[in-house]
Amino acid sequence: MPKLTKRQKMIQEKVDRNRVYPLQEALQILKDVKSPRFDETVDIVLKLGVDSRKADQMVRGSCALPNGLGKTVRVIVFAKGEKEVEARDAGADVVGGEDLVQKIQEGWMEFDRTIATPDMMGVVGKIAKLLGPRGLMPNPKVGTVTLDVRKMVQMIKAGQVEFRVDKNSNLHAPVGKVSFDNQKLAENIHVFMETILRIKPSTSKGVYLKSCTISSTMGPGIRVDTSTL
């Protein structure tokens, strides 16, 4: 049996796997067991009472976190003419059309989010098989197919997150960094939860929010009392 590291022993002592913690206590535990090597991302995972195989129970959208994500998000925009200038002025990292499509076809994938104006979707469709599996395809349902590219670039840069329930009815999203103080992390989580609760499908029956777990990149999953969210 492999020997436990000092940090693994500390995690075992700090985290009761059978307990459900109030949000503030769970956040403090994440701080207590954080990795000393880098600033970990804090993630939230929800188990929802929906059947994601049914189109009318798909939970998908985006949310602007009040305190951001604590990291630089690389944004590319497919646009031309005035919208190309608008995207550049708003802070987009790369803006283009056919040239940008070709660059991606050649293997370049150094970006985190993608925006497109409606008239460019025919061009973007050429790389749908490259963007789609990575969750990078622009989509009007989350606002990334838009004429207001300035607003969308600024929102993403400020800390907007996209989310989508998976086939097992789990929903995962980043909500900040371990280095954030507990109040900022809690604010991000509360705003995120407000969004999830607001878009509950009308066809979802029974308990909608079944469980919640938070974790850091290299840390343990900590179950959170949903009533404290």
Side-chain angles (χ1 to χ4, degrees), residues 21-198:
Y21 293 87
L23 177 60
Q24 288 291 346
E25 188 175 349
L27 290 174
Q28 187 55 53
I29 292 173
L30 281 187
K31 298 289 185 72
D32 293 341
V33 301
K34 66 182 180 181
S35 170
R37 298 181 180 179
F38 69 103
D39 190 10
E40 299 171 276
T41 296
V42 177
D43 297 307
I44 187 169
V45 179
L46 306 176
K47 180 70 173 180
L48 300 180
V50 298
D51 185 347
S52 58
R53 296 170 298 178
K54 298 179 179 179
D56 60 357
Q57 292 192 37
M58 173 57 66
V59 178
R60 181 177 187 175
S62 62
C63 174
L65 301 179
N67 300 302
L69 288 169
K71 68 175 185 178
T72 300
V73 181
R74 301 165 297 178
V75 181
I76 67 170
V77 179
F78 291 92
K80 59 184 178 182
E82 292 181 1
K83 294 301 176 182
E84 180 178 355
V85 175
E86 186 178 313
R88 294 186 190 281
D89 290 345
D93 295 275
V94 180
V95 186
E98 291 280 5
D99 56 330
L100 184 51
V101 167
Q102 183 177 348
K103 187 174 182 179
I104 292 171
Q105 287 174 328
E106 293 171 353
W108 181 77
M109 296 295 292
E110 295 177 18
F111 53 94
D112 305 299
R113 298 286 298 276
T114 307
I115 299 170
T117 54
D119 61 310
M120 294 298 290
M121 286 306 292
V123 174
V124 179
K126 297 177 182 179
I127 50 174
K129 290 183 178 180
L130 295 174
L131 299 181
R134 295 176 171 85
L136 294 170
M137 190 67 182
N139 190 306
K141 291 183 179 180
V142 295
T144 48
V145 178
T146 179
L147 286 173
D148 195 350
V149 293
R150 181 186 303 277
K151 179 180 178 181
M152 185 51 60
V153 169
Q154 292 173 342
M155 285 178 63
I156 291 174
K157 287 285 189 179
Q160 186 203 56
V161 294
E162 285 187 7
F163 55 82
R164 178 176 181 171
V165 68
D166 65 21
K167 63 182 180 180
N168 296 314
S169 301
N170 295 315
L171 190 149
H172 169 277
V175 290
K177 292 286 188 178
V178 171
S179 60
F180 286 15
D181 64 46
N182 288 359
Q183 185 59 35
K184 287 186 176 181
L185 283 171
E187 287 173 358
N188 278 0
I189 290 171
H190 285 311
V191 169
F192 179 78
M193 290 306 306
E194 286 173 1
T195 302
I196 299 301
L197 294 174
R198 187 174 64 250

